[in-house]
Amino acid sequence: MPENLLRHEASPYLLQHRDNPAHWRPWGPAAIAEAKADAKPILLSVGYAACHWCHVMAHESFENPAIADLMNRLFVNIKVDREERPDIDQIYMAALHELGEQGGWPLTMFLTPDGSPIWGGTYFPPAARYGRPGFPDVLEEVARIFREEPAKIEHNRSLLAERLKQPPANTALALDRTLLDNAAARLLGLVDRERGGVRGAPKFPQATLLELLWRAGERTGDAGYFDAVHVTLRNIAEGGIYDHVGGGFARYSVDDKWLVPHFEKMLYDNAQLIELMSYAHGADANPLYERRIAETIAWLEREMVVEGGAYAASLDADSEGYEGRFYVWTREEVIDVLGAEEGAFFASAYDITAAGNWEGTSIPNRLDTPALDAATDARLAQSRHKLLQRRATRIRPGLDDKVLTDWNGLAIAAIATAGIILRRPDWIDIAKRIYRRVIDLSTVATRFAHSSRAGKKTFPGLATDYAAMTKAALALHAATQDAAYLADAEGFAAELRSHHWDADHPGYFLSADDAEALILRPRSNVDEATPSANATMGANLVRLWHLSGKDGYRRDVDALLEASAGAIATNLFSAAGTLNALDARINAVDLVIVAAADGAGGEGTDAFLDIARERPNRNLIVSVHAGAVQLPASHPAHGKTASTGKVTAYLCRGETCSLPITDADTLVALLQNAPSA
């Protein structure tokens, strides 16, 4: 058998380790069978291609022949890309949390030969330091305990297995506006009101939390919620976490003011920030947000398009063996590229100094400088372009070019939403292109794969894939009013329910009913860097119910939310996505536009659509009908018709609709009250 089997894999992360002296195996039945046959424990290492500390541990330990020899003698070594197999990552990260560890990547877990977790950690140095034991010592000790103290191994195994298999908590909780308002008030108390984000360091964008605060502002009219979101977005947009030369947002800031990023760029962060800034711009018409959205979409189109039109997963933090080297500048280099006058002007505008603001170099940022007027920004844009051209001559960070269905779904939804709000039909066209390409790449018969690269697919797909692509289809329906997108959304939702629904505890398992059997079938109502599949799908079900009138969607979302009460009660912060779905369930408003059956008066339809888009609201669900509303009798707009010769709108809340609306002023006035419904 070959010593290292990763060279046969498609994942860029696994391929990074194909030449390690460690005898890596990919996850699968063959590796488990080998561990059982050899009666060896399993060393499971989980990471991802853009992970800085994963690279550090690889260089220090997995490429070290002496350490690799220990690994090979004592363990069956399995390497997993957490982005390709988040189901595996979720199980063993949960086990690490049960051991009282905070978690992170690389995830280093030790398993029995059948895959049951017994102990673990994250990064281990090659020798004891940072308060952590050396990795060789860990390997020796775990192997010794496995040989000599089987009772201890069995104790840990059984205890972890019991905790991991506990069903979701069944908590009685009133799922109402009071819960939403109290939760928002408590979470607002965590926000750094000067710099934004959650107080302290490191700082993550936390888009789901920011959406919760924004929704609270719309629901209550309290400007403090909007202020918390705006101060966060302004600092993110002006901080070093944003790539001012090339566009796009890094994963997080290691400090408490958004200056020093962890330089990896993830597709999901950029998607969520595009969507969040679009809604913020719709309310505030902030040119800073518009620039950042446009620059980020331009970066995605320039650097992240792969496989004929979809988006790659991530860009690495490291190049040439150093974190951030691709992105930082010296003052001398800026002046060399731009000349003395323009170089000095740019350096002053972007905090690029002789001493530097990070490890002797400078991370461009505008945290402590005045806002730019249009003329100054245009002048600086020319310099940014020249610096981008110079930067293109540097050795680039690694690109993880696998296509993840769920992350692309988030990007499609975000770019389509930006296209609606900022009146950019070219962005809607981009969203359509990605959508078509992801479906072409990722579907097998009628079902999604999770990951695609170089002709290889990770199949079957996960609940996150269906939830994100349902959201994408609904966003494109909102942008185009093309019924085909609504039909797609219903089809995706049906496949998800067929293969992922948990009848005992309503909601969705992460893995399908016919997926590879793991030690348990994972599901979660807890948000991570993205909302949970249950949270995203909860909001989707609300929209599907309002657009179709089919009561099955309403029953499912109500059951899902009720089953999520325990997660909400346990940790508000991690349940922000579910609370956002609850807000949508309680406060959704239908704008139903009815045109003449023959299509006459189409300009009136466009005028009403424009009015709705001038004041974007996540809870406003817009649909266009011809002649009469063909929805079930349970829908409040059932049977509504157009007034003679006029396009007619109805605003529906709960079980009732407004009187017919045929003029713009009336619609504007009613929409102004819609968010606080």
Side-chain angles (χ1 to χ4, degrees):
M1 178 179 290
E3 293 182 343
N4 186 323
L5 303 182
L6 297 185
R7 66 176 179 273
H8 305 295
E9 297 301 301
S11 158
Y13 175 66
L14 299 186
L15 292 173
Q16 287 175 357
H17 295 267
R18 63 187 167 189
D19 296 322
N20 292 171
H23 295 179
W24 292 118
R25 279 84 176 95
W27 180 275
I32 300 295
E34 181 182 348
K36 290 179 179 178
D38 294 349
K40 283 184 176 181
I42 292 168
L43 167 59
L44 174 67
S45 177
V46 183
Y48 57 101
C51 169
H52 172 70
W53 285 102
C54 299
H55 300 328
V56 172
M57 190 166 178
H59 296 323
E60 291 178 342
S61 293
F62 306 149
E63 296 171 8
N64 182 310
I67 295 177
D69 181 64
L70 274 178
M71 294 168 60
N72 299 335
R73 285 194 295 105
L74 300 175
F75 298 90
V76 170
N77 305 296
I78 299 179
K79 177 64 76 171
V80 168
D81 179 346
R82 69 172 296 260
E83 297 168 358
E84 187 178 59
R85 294 298 305 268
D87 50 342
I88 294 171
D89 177 65
Q90 187 177 110
I91 291 169
Y92 294 105
M93 186 62 74
L96 185 66
H97 291 319
E98 292 293 344
L99 290 167
E101 297 287 337
Q102 183 174 359
W105 297 275
L107 171 62
T108 307
M109 291 297 295
F110 296 94
L111 320 178
T112 63
D114 67 354
S116 298
I118 50 177
W119 189 76
T122 53
Y123 164 78
F124 290 100
R129 62 174 187 258
Y130 313 134
R132 296 174 179 268
F135 193 47
D137 297 332
V138 169
L139 296 172
E140 294 274 20
E141 181 63 8
V142 171
R144 185 197 66 77
I145 293 173
F146 185 81
R147 289 191 310 270
E148 300 175 8
E149 301 184 46
K152 182 177 287 188
I153 294 293
E154 175 56 24
H155 172 77
N156 275 24
R157 187 207 64 77
S158 60
L159 185 62
L160 283 172
E162 180 182 353
R163 290 182 177 177
L164 290 173
K165 291 178 180 178
Q166 286 179 347
N170 185 12
T171 303
L173 194 66
L175 302 176
D176 55 17
R177 176 168 172 163
T178 299
L179 170 65
L180 291 172
D181 290 349
N182 289 342
R186 287 176 59 187
L187 292 171
L188 181 63
L190 302 177
V191 173
D192 178 343
R193 305 307 289 270
E194 178 185 0
R195 294 290 189 179
V198 175
R199 290 193 300 271
K203 281 189 183 294
F204 290 82
Q206 303 288 5
T208 308
L209 171 63
L210 295 175
E211 179 187 335
L212 181 146
L213 298 177
W214 189 268
R215 284 176 173 273
E218 290 188 326
R219 190 173 58 248
T220 66
D222 185 341
Y225 291 110
F226 295 126
D227 291 344
V229 177
H230 282 306
V231 72
T232 303
L233 291 181
R234 283 195 299 269
N235 279 284
I236 289 174
E238 297 286 41
I241 191 173
Y242 182 73
D243 179 1
H244 291 266
V245 172
F249 298 90
R251 172 80 275 265
Y252 64 89
S253 167
V254 301
D255 60 279
D256 66 354
K257 63 176 187 176
W258 308 105
L259 172 61
V260 180
H262 194 31
F263 289 88
E264 66 206 57
K265 290 183 182 178
M266 315 302 293
L267 177 58
Y268 58 78
D269 286 316
N270 285 277
Q272 292 178 97
L273 286 168
I274 287 170
E275 181 175 312
L276 190 64
M277 284 191 177
S278 295
Y279 279 105
H281 175 75
D284 196 38
N286 188 326
L288 174 63
Y289 299 160
E290 184 170 7
R291 286 198 299 270
R292 295 297 179 262
I293 294 165
E295 291 164 355
T296 300
I297 294 174
W299 161 69
L300 288 168
E301 287 293 287
R302 186 179 66 248
E303 299 188 23
M304 299 295 282
V305 175
V306 295
E307 296 278 11
Y311 284 151
S314 66
L315 273 174
D316 207 328
D318 297 9
S319 57
E320 303 180 71
Y322 294 92
E323 183 180 9
R325 174 166 285 189
F326 186 73
Y327 297 102
V328 297
W329 299 86
T330 64
R331 194 172 190 277
E332 291 76 13
E333 187 177 12
V334 168
I335 290 174
D336 178 60
V337 175
L338 302 178
E341 182 178 350
E342 287 302 308
F345 182 72
F346 186 91
S348 176
Y350 285 96
D351 187 29
I352 297 171
T353 63
N357 56 31
W358 181 65
E359 297 186 356
T361 62
S362 290
I363 301 166
N365 75 92
R366 292 190 46 76
L367 286 168
D368 298 312
T369 52
L372 295 175
D373 58 47
T376 305
D377 186 63
R379 177 181 175 184
L380 290 168
Q382 296 180 37
S383 296
R384 292 196 299 267
H385 179 68
K386 291 178 181 178
L387 291 170
L388 182 62
Q389 290 179 312
R390 169 62 68 87
R391 197 172 77 178
T393 66
R394 298 176 178 176
I395 295 175
R396 299 185 61 80
L399 175 71
D400 186 329
D401 59 351
K402 65 179 178 286
V403 173
L404 296 173
T405 301
D406 48 5
W407 295 6
N408 271 269
L410 295 177
I412 294 162
I415 294 170
T417 299
I420 294 170
I421 295 173
L422 281 81
R423 311 297 180 90
R424 290 289 300 266
D426 55 325
W427 293 348
I428 295 171
D429 288 341
I430 288 171
K432 291 178 183 177
R433 183 206 76 217
I434 307 166
Y435 181 82
R436 289 192 299 269
R437 188 56 185 146
V438 169
I439 289 175
D440 288 345
L441 277 173
S442 301
T443 49
V444 178
T446 60
R447 297 176 66 185
F448 283 122
H450 171 63
S451 175
S452 303
R453 182 180 183 272
K456 296 184 179 180
K457 304 180 193 296
T458 305
F459 183 86
L462 303 169
T464 51
D465 301 312
Y466 288 94
M469 286 299 289
T470 303
K471 179 176 179 175
L474 290 170
L476 284 169
H477 176 261
T480 64
Q481 291 299 316
D482 184 340
Y485 290 116
L486 179 56
D488 282 354
E490 292 206 67
F492 302 156
E495 288 287 358
L496 176 61
R497 198 182 198 287
S498 175
H499 291 286
H500 295 259
W501 185 254
D502 182 350
D504 294 328
H505 303 281
Y508 302 98
F509 287 107
L510 180 61
S511 55
D513 53 4
D514 56 351
E516 172 195 357
L518 302 173
I519 60 168
L520 57 86
R521 193 175 176 194
R523 62 162 288 171
S524 178
N525 291 319
V526 175
D527 300 327
E528 295 179 1
T530 59
S532 71
N534 283 290
T536 300
M537 202 59 204
N540 290 339
L541 290 169
V542 171
R543 191 165 288 269
L544 285 168
W545 168 44
H546 281 265
L547 289 170
S548 73
K550 297 175 182 177
D551 282 336
Y553 296 130
R554 173 165 50 181
R555 287 193 297 271
D556 280 358
V557 70
D558 286 349
L560 181 155
L561 290 170
E562 184 176 348
S564 300
I568 295 171
T570 301
N571 189 335
L572 283 178
F573 191 89
S574 296
T578 304
L579 291 167
N580 291 336
L582 174 61
D583 179 75
R585 172 66 180 91
I586 294 172
N587 294 314
V589 177
D590 288 298
L591 174 59
V592 178
I593 301 171
V594 190
D598 60 4
E603 65 279 359
T605 299
D606 291 340
F608 279 171
L609 287 171
D610 285 343
I611 290 168
R613 291 165 179 168
E614 283 172 0
R615 198 168 188 276
N617 170 9
R618 289 178 185 270
N619 287 335
L620 184 66
I621 301 169
V622 181
S623 59
V624 177
H625 305 259
V629 177
Q630 302 293 328
L631 290 172
S634 59
H635 195 287
H638 165 74
K640 299 295 185 185
T641 59
S643 300
T644 304
K646 294 183 178 179
V647 174
T648 307
Y650 300 86
L651 204 62
C652 307
R653 303 174 185 167
E655 303 300 320
T656 61
C657 294
S658 68
L659 294 172
I661 305 164
T662 57
D663 67 281
D665 290 343
T666 302
L667 179 59
V668 169
L670 287 172
L671 284 175
Q672 286 176 344
N673 296 321
S676 59

